Amino acid sequence: MRNKIVAGNWKMNNTLEQGVTLASEIVNMVANELTDDVKMVLCTPYIHLSSVSKIIGDAEKISLGAQNCNDNLKGAYTGEISVDMLKSVGVEYVILGHSERREYYGESNEFLAGKVNTVIEAGLTPIFCCGETLETRERGAHFDFVTNQLTESLFHLSVENFSKIVIAYEPIWAIGTGVTASKEQAQEMHEKLRAHIAKKYGTEIADGTSILYGGSCNPKNAADLFAQKDIDGGLIGGASLKSRDFVDIGKSY
Ligand code: 13P
């Protein structure tokens, strides 16, 4: 059985005070309301991690995540954050290859392959993002494009290390736009990705890989998406900034 995960990507939002309030609300609601076997992950800005870690404490259904890290372990990389620093404040998950990092900071598949190694070697879990632009989908190249992102950034991994990866399919045209992929479109891509993984690593590993959907996921559409057989949860942007919405998404299974 693969894990069901609902992760919130706060992106560059919230002052520390606002983030602490949001995290406290989520932790309380999850403790009182979440009955299903779902893992919620809060991927906050770096500056919030230490405080949010204390708020999460030993809450069972919530983990802490970062939105990025540096590919080097330490040294003269001004302004950067290492995996050891993340671990020292209780981080367990790291989002890698978000389309915003690919687009604004030039992160390529090859560069991300190195970051994936750094994160796995540190014992952290990468949430590896993939997804196509509208232009790529319209010319019918979306399956090749997204499966290639996996091939180039992940398929150098050993079976053991690949089994530690969480994947998030985030069609770029659905991110922050209010336009969600239909459940059929999302399921179709997730199925393709799982088949692609199976071809390389075998069905057992593919069946055990959590593949999350991201892109305008909200409390209204989450249940339909999560009901698809290859969708194992969500990576949530805007709706993760509202405690009620985020927890309701977690309860959508
Ligand atoms: P939205 O949920 O705001 O569309 O963002 C999705 C996303 O980019 C999560 O990483």
Side-chain angles (χ1 to χ4, degrees), residues 48-102:
H48 299 60
L49 289 171
S50 177
S51 305
V52 172
S53 182
K54 292 186 186 107
I55 293 165
I56 292 175
D58 53 14
E60 266 179 28
K61 292 182 172 156
I62 308 193
S63 294
L64 189 63
Q67 299 172 20
N68 184 29
C69 66
N70 193 267
D71 51 323
N72 297 287
L73 291 180
K74 63 189 287 189
Y77 302 99
T78 302
E80 291 295 293
I81 299 285
S82 75
V83 282
D84 283 347
M85 294 174 195
L86 296 180
K87 280 168 68 174
S88 73
V89 293
V91 165
E92 292 177 53
Y93 293 81
V94 184
I95 297 174
L96 291 181
H98 192 281
S99 62
E100 288 147 17
R101 294 215 58 87
R102 292 174 187 266

Short mmCIF file of all heavy atoms in Angstrom, two decimals, residues 48-102:
data_model
loop_
_atom_site.label_atom_id
_atom_site.label_comp_id
_atom_site.label_asym_id
_atom_site.label_seq_id
_atom_site.Cartn_x
_atom_site.Cartn_y
_atom_site.Cartn_z
N HIS A 48 10.38 29.90 8.53
CA HIS A 48 9.32 29.40 9.41
C HIS A 48 9.62 28.02 9.99
O HIS A 48 8.94 27.58 10.93
CB HIS A 48 8.00 29.28 8.64
CG HIS A 48 7.47 30.55 8.06
ND1 HIS A 48 8.15 31.30 7.14
CD2 HIS A 48 6.29 31.19 8.26
CE1 HIS A 48 7.41 32.36 6.81
NE2 HIS A 48 6.29 32.31 7.47
N LEU A 49 10.57 27.31 9.39
CA LEU A 49 10.69 25.87 9.69
C LEU A 49 10.88 25.57 11.17
O LEU A 49 10.21 24.69 11.72
CB LEU A 49 11.85 25.27 8.88
CG LEU A 49 11.63 25.14 7.37
CD1 LEU A 49 12.93 24.75 6.67
CD2 LEU A 49 10.53 24.12 7.07
N SER A 50 11.79 26.30 11.80
CA SER A 50 12.12 26.00 13.19
C SER A 50 10.89 26.19 14.10
O SER A 50 10.58 25.33 14.94
CB SER A 50 13.28 26.89 13.63
OG SER A 50 13.56 26.69 14.95
N SER A 51 10.18 27.28 13.89
CA SER A 51 8.99 27.54 14.72
C SER A 51 7.88 26.53 14.43
O SER A 51 7.23 26.03 15.35
CB SER A 51 8.45 28.95 14.45
OG SER A 51 9.45 29.89 14.65
N VAL A 52 7.66 26.24 13.16
CA VAL A 52 6.57 25.31 12.81
C VAL A 52 6.92 23.91 13.31
O VAL A 52 6.04 23.15 13.73
CB VAL A 52 6.30 25.35 11.28
CG1 VAL A 52 5.33 24.25 10.87
CG2 VAL A 52 5.74 26.71 10.88
N SER A 53 8.18 23.57 13.29
CA SER A 53 8.62 22.27 13.80
C SER A 53 8.20 22.10 15.26
O SER A 53 7.69 21.04 15.66
CB SER A 53 10.15 22.18 13.69
OG SER A 53 10.59 20.94 14.11
N LYS A 54 8.35 23.15 16.06
CA LYS A 54 7.96 23.08 17.48
C LYS A 54 6.44 22.96 17.61
O LYS A 54 5.95 22.27 18.50
CB LYS A 54 8.45 24.32 18.21
CG LYS A 54 9.97 24.35 18.31
CD LYS A 54 10.46 25.50 19.16
CE LYS A 54 11.98 25.57 19.10
NZ LYS A 54 12.46 26.70 18.30
N ILE A 55 5.71 23.61 16.71
CA ILE A 55 4.25 23.53 16.77
C ILE A 55 3.78 22.11 16.41
O ILE A 55 2.87 21.56 17.04
CB ILE A 55 3.62 24.57 15.82
CG1 ILE A 55 3.92 25.98 16.34
CG2 ILE A 55 2.11 24.36 15.68
CD1 ILE A 55 3.67 27.06 15.32
N ILE A 56 4.43 21.52 15.43
CA ILE A 56 4.07 20.15 15.04
C ILE A 56 4.41 19.17 16.17
O ILE A 56 3.65 18.26 16.47
CB ILE A 56 4.79 19.74 13.73
CG1 ILE A 56 4.26 20.56 12.55
CG2 ILE A 56 4.62 18.25 13.46
CD1 ILE A 56 5.00 20.33 11.24
N GLY A 57 5.55 19.40 16.81
CA GLY A 57 5.96 18.53 17.92
C GLY A 57 5.95 17.08 17.50
O GLY A 57 6.51 16.72 16.48
N ASP A 58 5.26 16.24 18.28
CA ASP A 58 5.23 14.82 17.88
C ASP A 58 3.85 14.43 17.32
O ASP A 58 3.45 13.27 17.38
CB ASP A 58 5.68 13.91 19.03
CG ASP A 58 4.90 14.18 20.30
OD1 ASP A 58 3.87 14.88 20.21
OD2 ASP A 58 5.31 13.67 21.36
N ALA A 59 3.14 15.42 16.76
CA ALA A 59 1.86 15.12 16.11
C ALA A 59 2.08 14.05 15.04
O ALA A 59 2.96 14.18 14.20
CB ALA A 59 1.29 16.39 15.47
N GLU A 60 1.26 13.01 15.10
CA GLU A 60 1.52 11.84 14.26
C GLU A 60 1.25 12.05 12.78
O GLU A 60 1.95 11.50 11.94
CB GLU A 60 0.64 10.68 14.74
CG GLU A 60 1.36 9.81 15.72
CD GLU A 60 0.49 8.69 16.21
OE1 GLU A 60 -0.41 8.28 15.45
OE2 GLU A 60 0.71 8.25 17.36
N LYS A 61 0.23 12.81 12.46
CA LYS A 61 -0.19 12.87 11.05
C LYS A 61 0.38 14.05 10.29
O LYS A 61 0.01 14.30 9.15
CB LYS A 61 -1.71 12.88 10.97
CG LYS A 61 -2.29 11.56 11.42
CD LYS A 61 -3.77 11.51 11.32
CE LYS A 61 -4.23 10.10 11.60
NZ LYS A 61 -5.58 10.04 12.07
N ILE A 62 1.27 14.81 10.92
CA ILE A 62 1.83 15.98 10.24
C ILE A 62 3.35 15.94 10.25
O ILE A 62 3.97 15.62 11.27
CB ILE A 62 1.38 17.30 10.91
CG1 ILE A 62 -0.13 17.34 11.07
CG2 ILE A 62 1.84 18.49 10.09
CD1 ILE A 62 -0.69 18.68 11.44
N SER A 63 3.93 16.25 9.10
CA SER A 63 5.38 16.33 9.00
C SER A 63 5.77 17.68 8.43
O SER A 63 4.94 18.39 7.86
CB SER A 63 5.92 15.24 8.07
OG SER A 63 5.70 13.98 8.63
N LEU A 64 7.06 17.98 8.56
CA LEU A 64 7.59 19.25 8.10
C LEU A 64 8.34 19.06 6.79
O LEU A 64 9.07 18.08 6.62
CB LEU A 64 8.53 19.79 9.19
CG LEU A 64 9.04 21.22 9.04
CD1 LEU A 64 7.89 22.23 9.08
CD2 LEU A 64 10.06 21.52 10.14
N GLY A 65 8.15 20.00 5.87
CA GLY A 65 8.87 19.94 4.60
C GLY A 65 9.47 21.29 4.23
O GLY A 65 8.99 22.34 4.67
N ALA A 66 10.52 21.25 3.41
CA ALA A 66 11.11 22.47 2.86
C ALA A 66 10.73 22.55 1.38
O ALA A 66 10.28 21.57 0.79
CB ALA A 66 12.62 22.45 3.03
N GLN A 67 10.95 23.72 0.81
CA GLN A 67 10.56 23.92 -0.60
C GLN A 67 11.73 23.80 -1.55
O GLN A 67 11.57 23.90 -2.78
CB GLN A 67 9.92 25.30 -0.76
CG GLN A 67 8.67 25.48 0.07
CD GLN A 67 8.18 26.92 0.05
OE1 GLN A 67 8.52 27.70 -0.82
NE2 GLN A 67 7.37 27.27 1.03
N ASN A 68 12.93 23.63 -0.99
CA ASN A 68 14.13 23.60 -1.81
C ASN A 68 15.30 23.32 -0.87
O ASN A 68 15.14 23.30 0.35
CB ASN A 68 14.31 24.97 -2.49
CG ASN A 68 15.50 25.01 -3.45
OD1 ASN A 68 15.86 23.98 -4.04
ND2 ASN A 68 16.08 26.17 -3.61
N CYS A 69 16.48 23.12 -1.42
CA CYS A 69 17.72 23.07 -0.63
C CYS A 69 18.85 23.23 -1.62
O CYS A 69 18.63 23.21 -2.84
CB CYS A 69 17.85 21.75 0.11
SG CYS A 69 18.05 20.35 -1.00
N ASN A 70 20.04 23.37 -1.11
CA ASN A 70 21.21 23.44 -2.00
C ASN A 70 21.70 22.03 -2.30
O ASN A 70 21.48 21.11 -1.52
CB ASN A 70 22.32 24.27 -1.35
CG ASN A 70 23.40 24.63 -2.35
OD1 ASN A 70 24.40 23.92 -2.49
ND2 ASN A 70 23.19 25.70 -3.08
N ASP A 71 22.37 21.87 -3.44
CA ASP A 71 22.87 20.54 -3.80
C ASP A 71 24.21 20.22 -3.14
O ASP A 71 24.64 19.07 -3.15
CB ASP A 71 22.98 20.39 -5.33
CG ASP A 71 23.73 21.52 -5.99
OD1 ASP A 71 23.60 22.68 -5.54
OD2 ASP A 71 24.47 21.25 -6.95
N ASN A 72 24.87 21.23 -2.56
CA ASN A 72 26.13 20.98 -1.84
C ASN A 72 25.85 20.79 -0.36
O ASN A 72 24.83 21.24 0.15
CB ASN A 72 27.06 22.18 -2.03
CG ASN A 72 27.43 22.36 -3.48
OD1 ASN A 72 28.21 21.60 -4.05
ND2 ASN A 72 26.82 23.36 -4.13
N LEU A 73 26.80 20.14 0.31
CA LEU A 73 26.56 19.83 1.73
C LEU A 73 26.87 21.01 2.64
O LEU A 73 26.24 21.20 3.67
CB LEU A 73 27.37 18.62 2.14
CG LEU A 73 26.89 17.30 1.51
CD1 LEU A 73 27.74 16.13 1.97
CD2 LEU A 73 25.41 17.04 1.84
N LYS A 74 27.91 21.82 2.30
CA LYS A 74 28.23 22.99 3.10
C LYS A 74 29.22 23.86 2.34
O LYS A 74 29.72 23.44 1.30
CB LYS A 74 28.84 22.59 4.45
CG LYS A 74 30.15 21.84 4.34
CD LYS A 74 30.60 21.28 5.67
CE LYS A 74 31.09 22.36 6.61
NZ LYS A 74 31.73 21.82 7.83
N GLY A 75 29.48 25.03 2.85
CA GLY A 75 30.54 25.84 2.25
C GLY A 75 30.10 27.21 1.80
O GLY A 75 29.10 27.75 2.26
N ALA A 76 30.87 27.77 0.88
CA ALA A 76 30.71 29.17 0.47
C ALA A 76 29.61 29.29 -0.60
O ALA A 76 29.90 29.42 -1.78
CB ALA A 76 32.04 29.70 -0.05
N TYR A 77 28.38 29.19 -0.15
CA TYR A 77 27.22 29.33 -1.05
C TYR A 77 26.27 30.33 -0.42
O TYR A 77 25.24 29.95 0.18
CB TYR A 77 26.55 27.97 -1.28
CG TYR A 77 27.51 26.95 -1.86
CD1 TYR A 77 28.13 26.01 -1.04
CD2 TYR A 77 27.84 26.98 -3.22
CE1 TYR A 77 29.05 25.11 -1.56
CE2 TYR A 77 28.76 26.08 -3.74
CZ TYR A 77 29.36 25.16 -2.91
OH TYR A 77 30.27 24.28 -3.42
N THR A 78 26.63 31.58 -0.52
CA THR A 78 25.90 32.65 0.17
C THR A 78 24.40 32.60 -0.10
O THR A 78 23.98 32.51 -1.25
CB THR A 78 26.47 34.02 -0.27
OG1 THR A 78 27.86 34.04 0.03
CG2 THR A 78 25.76 35.17 0.45
N GLY A 79 23.65 32.63 0.97
CA GLY A 79 22.19 32.70 0.85
C GLY A 79 21.51 31.34 0.71
O GLY A 79 20.30 31.29 0.58
N GLU A 80 22.30 30.28 0.74
CA GLU A 80 21.72 28.95 0.50
C GLU A 80 21.51 28.17 1.80
O GLU A 80 22.04 28.53 2.86
CB GLU A 80 22.62 28.16 -0.44
CG GLU A 80 22.63 28.71 -1.86
CD GLU A 80 21.27 28.58 -2.54
OE1 GLU A 80 20.86 27.45 -2.81
OE2 GLU A 80 20.63 29.61 -2.78
N ILE A 81 20.76 27.09 1.72
CA ILE A 81 20.40 26.27 2.88
C ILE A 81 20.75 24.81 2.57
O ILE A 81 20.41 24.31 1.51
CB ILE A 81 18.88 26.38 3.17
CG1 ILE A 81 18.45 27.82 3.49
CG2 ILE A 81 18.46 25.41 4.28
CD1 ILE A 81 18.82 28.32 4.86
N SER A 82 21.41 24.15 3.52
CA SER A 82 21.85 22.76 3.28
C SER A 82 20.87 21.74 3.86
O SER A 82 20.05 22.06 4.73
CB SER A 82 23.23 22.53 3.91
OG SER A 82 23.09 22.42 5.32
N VAL A 83 21.03 20.51 3.40
CA VAL A 83 20.17 19.44 3.93
C VAL A 83 20.40 19.21 5.43
O VAL A 83 19.45 18.91 6.16
CB VAL A 83 20.38 18.10 3.15
CG1 VAL A 83 19.64 18.13 1.83
CG2 VAL A 83 21.84 17.75 2.97
N ASP A 84 21.66 19.37 5.89
CA ASP A 84 21.90 19.19 7.33
C ASP A 84 21.18 20.25 8.15
O ASP A 84 20.70 19.99 9.26
CB ASP A 84 23.40 19.22 7.63
CG ASP A 84 24.06 17.90 7.26
OD1 ASP A 84 23.33 16.92 7.00
OD2 ASP A 84 25.30 17.86 7.20
N MET A 85 21.15 21.47 7.61
CA MET A 85 20.41 22.54 8.31
C MET A 85 18.93 22.19 8.39
O MET A 85 18.29 22.36 9.43
CB MET A 85 20.57 23.87 7.56
CG MET A 85 21.98 24.42 7.56
SD MET A 85 22.02 25.90 6.50
CE MET A 85 23.78 26.08 6.28
N LEU A 86 18.40 21.67 7.28
CA LEU A 86 16.97 21.29 7.28
C LEU A 86 16.72 20.18 8.30
O LEU A 86 15.76 20.24 9.08
CB LEU A 86 16.55 20.83 5.88
CG LEU A 86 16.63 21.88 4.77
CD1 LEU A 86 16.19 21.28 3.43
CD2 LEU A 86 15.77 23.10 5.09
N LYS A 87 17.60 19.19 8.30
CA LYS A 87 17.42 18.09 9.25
C LYS A 87 17.49 18.57 10.70
O LYS A 87 16.77 18.07 11.56
CB LYS A 87 18.50 17.02 9.03
CG LYS A 87 18.16 16.11 7.86
CD LYS A 87 19.32 15.25 7.45
CE LYS A 87 19.69 14.21 8.47
NZ LYS A 87 20.73 13.31 7.96
N SER A 88 18.34 19.56 10.93
CA SER A 88 18.53 20.02 12.31
C SER A 88 17.29 20.69 12.89
O SER A 88 17.20 20.88 14.10
CB SER A 88 19.75 20.96 12.40
OG SER A 88 19.44 22.21 11.83
N VAL A 89 16.34 21.07 12.03
CA VAL A 89 15.09 21.64 12.56
C VAL A 89 13.89 20.70 12.36
O VAL A 89 12.74 21.11 12.49
CB VAL A 89 14.77 23.04 11.97
CG1 VAL A 89 15.80 24.06 12.42
CG2 VAL A 89 14.70 23.00 10.44
N GLY A 90 14.18 19.46 12.01
CA GLY A 90 13.10 18.47 11.96
C GLY A 90 12.42 18.29 10.61
O GLY A 90 11.35 17.68 10.53
N VAL A 91 13.05 18.80 9.55
CA VAL A 91 12.46 18.61 8.21
C VAL A 91 12.58 17.15 7.78
O VAL A 91 13.61 16.50 8.02
CB VAL A 91 13.18 19.53 7.19
CG1 VAL A 91 12.87 19.12 5.75
CG2 VAL A 91 12.76 20.98 7.42
N GLU A 92 11.51 16.63 7.15
CA GLU A 92 11.54 15.25 6.63
C GLU A 92 11.39 15.21 5.11
O GLU A 92 11.84 14.27 4.47
CB GLU A 92 10.40 14.43 7.25
CG GLU A 92 10.58 14.17 8.74
CD GLU A 92 9.38 13.41 9.29
OE1 GLU A 92 9.02 12.35 8.75
OE2 GLU A 92 8.79 13.92 10.27
N TYR A 93 10.71 16.19 4.54
CA TYR A 93 10.44 16.20 3.08
C TYR A 93 11.06 17.45 2.45
O TYR A 93 11.13 18.50 3.10
CB TYR A 93 8.93 16.24 2.80
CG TYR A 93 8.19 15.00 3.21
CD1 TYR A 93 7.80 14.79 4.54
CD2 TYR A 93 7.86 14.02 2.27
CE1 TYR A 93 7.11 13.64 4.92
CE2 TYR A 93 7.16 12.88 2.64
CZ TYR A 93 6.80 12.70 3.96
OH TYR A 93 6.12 11.56 4.33
N VAL A 94 11.47 17.33 1.19
CA VAL A 94 11.96 18.50 0.45
C VAL A 94 11.35 18.50 -0.95
O VAL A 94 11.51 17.53 -1.70
CB VAL A 94 13.51 18.51 0.32
CG1 VAL A 94 13.97 19.80 -0.36
CG2 VAL A 94 14.19 18.35 1.67
N ILE A 95 10.64 19.56 -1.28
CA ILE A 95 10.12 19.70 -2.66
C ILE A 95 11.31 19.98 -3.57
O ILE A 95 12.13 20.86 -3.28
CB ILE A 95 9.11 20.88 -2.74
CG1 ILE A 95 7.88 20.60 -1.86
CG2 ILE A 95 8.69 21.12 -4.19
CD1 ILE A 95 6.90 21.78 -1.78
N LEU A 96 11.40 19.27 -4.66
CA LEU A 96 12.46 19.51 -5.65
C LEU A 96 11.85 19.65 -7.03
O LEU A 96 10.91 18.95 -7.39
CB LEU A 96 13.46 18.34 -5.67
CG LEU A 96 14.34 18.16 -4.43
CD1 LEU A 96 15.27 16.96 -4.63
CD2 LEU A 96 15.17 19.41 -4.14
N GLY A 97 12.41 20.57 -7.81
CA GLY A 97 12.00 20.69 -9.20
C GLY A 97 10.63 21.29 -9.42
O GLY A 97 10.00 21.04 -10.45
N HIS A 98 10.18 22.09 -8.46
CA HIS A 98 8.91 22.78 -8.70
C HIS A 98 9.03 23.61 -9.98
O HIS A 98 10.10 24.15 -10.27
CB HIS A 98 8.55 23.67 -7.51
CG HIS A 98 7.14 24.16 -7.58
ND1 HIS A 98 6.76 25.21 -8.39
CD2 HIS A 98 6.00 23.72 -6.99
CE1 HIS A 98 5.46 25.38 -8.28
NE2 HIS A 98 4.97 24.49 -7.44
N SER A 99 7.95 23.71 -10.73
CA SER A 99 8.03 24.42 -12.03
C SER A 99 8.46 25.88 -11.86
O SER A 99 9.07 26.45 -12.75
CB SER A 99 6.70 24.34 -12.76
OG SER A 99 5.70 24.97 -12.01
N GLU A 100 8.15 26.46 -10.68
CA GLU A 100 8.59 27.84 -10.48
C GLU A 100 10.11 27.92 -10.35
O GLU A 100 10.73 28.87 -10.80
CB GLU A 100 7.88 28.43 -9.24
CG GLU A 100 6.40 28.68 -9.53
CD GLU A 100 5.47 28.51 -8.36
OE1 GLU A 100 5.92 28.48 -7.20
OE2 GLU A 100 4.24 28.37 -8.60
N ARG A 101 10.71 26.90 -9.76
CA ARG A 101 12.18 26.88 -9.67
C ARG A 101 12.79 26.55 -11.03
O ARG A 101 13.84 27.07 -11.39
CB ARG A 101 12.65 25.89 -8.61
CG ARG A 101 12.25 26.32 -7.20
CD ARG A 101 13.29 25.96 -6.18
NE ARG A 101 14.57 26.54 -6.48
CZ ARG A 101 14.97 27.77 -6.11
NH1 ARG A 101 14.17 28.55 -5.40
NH2 ARG A 101 16.16 28.21 -6.43
N ARG A 102 12.12 25.69 -11.77
CA ARG A 102 12.64 25.39 -13.11
C ARG A 102 12.60 26.65 -13.97
O ARG A 102 13.55 26.97 -14.67
CB ARG A 102 11.79 24.29 -13.77
CG ARG A 102 11.91 22.92 -13.12
CD ARG A 102 10.91 21.96 -13.76
NE ARG A 102 10.83 20.67 -13.12
CZ ARG A 102 11.52 19.58 -13.48
NH1 ARG A 102 12.35 19.63 -14.49
NH2 ARG A 102 11.34 18.45 -12.84
#
